[in-house]
Amino acid sequence: MTDTPSRAIGRKSISATLKPRELMTDTPLLAGAWTAQIITLFPQAFPGALGESLTGRALQDGLWQLQTYDLRAHGIGKHRNVDDTPAGGGAGMVLRADVLEAAILEARSTAKGIMPLVYLSPRGRRFDQTMARNWARMDGVTLLCGRFEGVDERVIDHFGITEVSLGDFVLTGGEIAAQAMIDATVRLLPGVLGNAESAVEESHSGGLLEHPQYTKPALWQGRPIPEVLMSGNHAKIAAWRRAMSEQITAQRRPDLWAAYKAKDAT
């Protein structure tokens, strides 16, 4: 590799010709950069979509860094086994405690500052914008991606792992959920979004869903842009957007609307 670490606050310059995988594990650690550690059976799945657009550019610019830890490297025996049958019987396979322990210890040995250890699980607390903001204020996060029937419960208890879910559905593994959560968090880091106001006005940022958006042409298929948005009156525009956010939230997400009204009343 030809990239050379910069001396400025832990940032690094990366050639545009580098492949996505070269933006991750085999590069020097960046001091002060928000860090996502991924423990997975499929390290080749990263950065995936995280290597594109704003998150990819921020990764290249050293605003955050990605480290993957291959569970298979800690597998047992000649075939690097990482799982075994469930105690007590049942379908599927369970990731072994000893394999998970070795991978977790490897990852945590390089973790700096405040970095929660999280297992991506459908039985965990549901991930939301508040959690993304909290993670963005920390130094990073270590995400354990499950597979098969999950992980040995003793590992969760031993390490005090927090379980987090992407939603009320089941995926074949935690890798897609990990990418979604990292994307939601990284975009909140300073300097990642071109316009910092974007993170303030979008859905969930203030407890409401986002107002409708419009752009050119002014008239399309007989549908004009709302007149107030073309008025140039910023106060009226802000009031319209607020009213629309409240209306859409009340109609589509009564749970969010109830929480918003309760918070507004206190």
Side-chain angles (χ1 to χ4, degrees):
M1 294 183 58
T2 59
D3 53 305
T4 303
S6 169
R7 295 183 179 180
I9 59 173
R11 300 294 181 252
K12 183 176 67 171
S13 173
I14 299 179
S15 168
T17 61
L18 293 180
K19 297 178 182 179
R21 284 286 298 161
E22 292 174 289
L23 301 178
M24 304 188 311
T25 309
D26 297 330
T27 57
L29 296 180
L30 305 181
W34 192 90
T35 303
Q37 295 183 322
I38 312 296
I39 302 172
T40 173
L41 277 170
F42 301 100
Q44 69 275 13
F46 295 86
L50 296 171
E52 305 296 332
S53 189
L54 295 176
T55 54
R57 189 176 306 120
L59 184 60
Q60 288 184 329
D61 291 343
L63 297 180
W64 71 288
Q65 61 186 329
L66 182 60
Q67 302 167 0
T68 57
Y69 298 87
D70 189 354
L71 271 174
R72 189 70 65 183
H74 300 281
I76 305 300
K78 180 174 65 175
H79 299 293
R80 297 286 185 181
N81 294 325
V82 299
D83 57 1
D84 214 318
T85 55
M93 305 290 279
V94 178
L95 290 172
R96 293 175 55 125
D98 46 1
V99 173
L100 291 165
E101 176 189 26
I104 291 171
L105 291 176
E106 180 191 3
R108 300 300 277 181
S109 69
T110 62
K112 305 293 184 182
I114 302 175
M115 291 182 60
L117 177 56
V118 173
Y119 169 46
L120 304 174
S121 163
R123 71 182 190 183
R125 172 189 164 188
R126 189 159 56 185
F127 183 80
D128 56 21
Q129 191 71 9
T130 298
M131 192 179 298
R133 282 196 296 266
N134 288 338
W135 286 4
R137 296 187 187 106
M138 298 177 184
D139 299 290
V141 64
T142 303
L143 300 178
L144 171 59
C145 299
R147 280 276 155 176
F148 317 123
E149 293 302 309
V151 306
D152 191 306
E153 188 74 16
R154 293 171 295 179
V155 172
I156 297 174
D157 296 336
H158 177 76
F159 287 99
I161 300 175
T162 300
E163 296 184 64
V164 176
S165 171
L166 187 61
D168 296 334
F169 50 88
V170 179
L171 299 171
T172 55
E175 288 75 17
I176 293 175
Q179 291 199 23
M181 294 178 190
I182 293 171
D183 183 282
T185 303
V186 165
R187 63 194 305 279
L188 300 177
L189 299 176
V192 174
L193 293 181
N195 182 359
E197 292 184 0
S198 296
V200 175
E201 297 178 354
E202 61 197 8
S203 290
H204 302 288
S205 59
L208 296 172
L209 299 180
E210 188 177 15
H211 55 77
Q213 297 281 10
Y214 300 87
T215 187
K216 297 176 181 178
L219 181 66
W220 176 78
Q221 298 284 24
R223 298 170 181 269
I225 293 176
E227 185 176 346
V228 64
L229 299 179
M230 309 293 285
S231 68
N233 188 319
H234 297 295
K236 288 185 177 180
I237 291 172
W240 179 87
R241 287 175 170 170
R242 182 73 175 190
M244 292 303 297
S245 288
E246 293 181 347
Q247 177 182 321
I248 290 172
T249 304
Q251 290 175 346
R252 301 181 186 179
R253 290 292 301 274
D255 56 329
L256 290 179
W257 179 246
Y260 171 76
K261 294 297 290 183
K263 182 180 178 181
D264 195 45
T266 57

